[in-house]
Amino acid sequence: VPCVTGSVVPSQSCQCLAWKPRPVGLWGAESQHVVAGYSDGTVRVFSVSRTEMELKMHPHAAALTAITYSTDGEMILSGGRDGIVAVSSPRTGMTIHVLADHKGSPITGLQCTRKQHHDLGVEGGELWLASSSDRRVSVWASDWLRDTCELLDWLSFPAPAGPEGFDSLPPSLAAFCPWEHGVLVYVGFGMQKEALFYSLRKKQVLRKISLPAFATSLSLSPAAPFMAIGF
């Protein structure tokens, strides 16, 4: 049973969580919110200071597998086990976009970044990416004020024949590289156990780092060129 400082949702499994980005100049529990994705396809927003649910939305027909806020906190991006990605407004409770590009493969990760879209010469407020269990990554440029999402790149990484079913394979994970703009890092089941650095400008893999095993988790340091990888 998920618990956010006392707020519980019985009978549902909480599959993923994310903190709302802190508004500039604000600090403390009063400005803190958590968004959670559930096994029944619902998204719930909780206030930390009031220890209660503020909003419930139902943008998915399948269980959620990934969730995040846009960098300004004005949109919620959620991904389901059926591969559907939804973009919803926590202000209105409305779902703005439903994207079926990854349909049929569980979403394994979602990430937004504001810092890198200017480097690629694209319009919009920020870049975001979605990764799915079939080793595909989509990269989007979005302008939330205009409700636009433009597909910027579509990556598909090769792999040998593996066991049936996504659950038996290592997850496909991708993240924008904070210290190398226009580059994303990818790990997942593939031809080799490695981390790949892909350039969105050159549309190619720049380099590879060998790993001792297939990764199951990935996090990039925002302050220095370090990667934390779990196996």
Side-chain angles (χ1 to χ4, degrees), residues 42-114:
T42 58
V43 170
R44 292 172 169 90
V45 177
F46 295 92
S47 166
V48 173
S49 62
R50 294 205 294 269
T51 65
E52 66 182 18
M53 183 178 70
E54 288 189 346
L55 177 67
K56 177 183 176 182
M57 300 179 286
H58 202 156
H60 293 271
L64 271 78
T65 52
I67 200 163
T68 190
Y69 275 96
S70 60
T71 55
D72 59 7
E74 292 300 314
M75 293 292 168
I76 294 172
L77 287 74
S78 53
R81 188 167 182 80
D82 56 2
I84 299 298
V85 175
V87 180
S88 306
S89 168
R91 289 185 181 272
T92 65
M94 300 292 291
T95 298
I96 308 300
H97 295 284
V98 176
L99 306 171
D101 299 73
H102 291 268
K103 187 175 181 180
S105 180
I107 300 299
T108 52
L110 294 165
Q111 187 195 10
C112 298
T113 180
R114 178 181 291 172

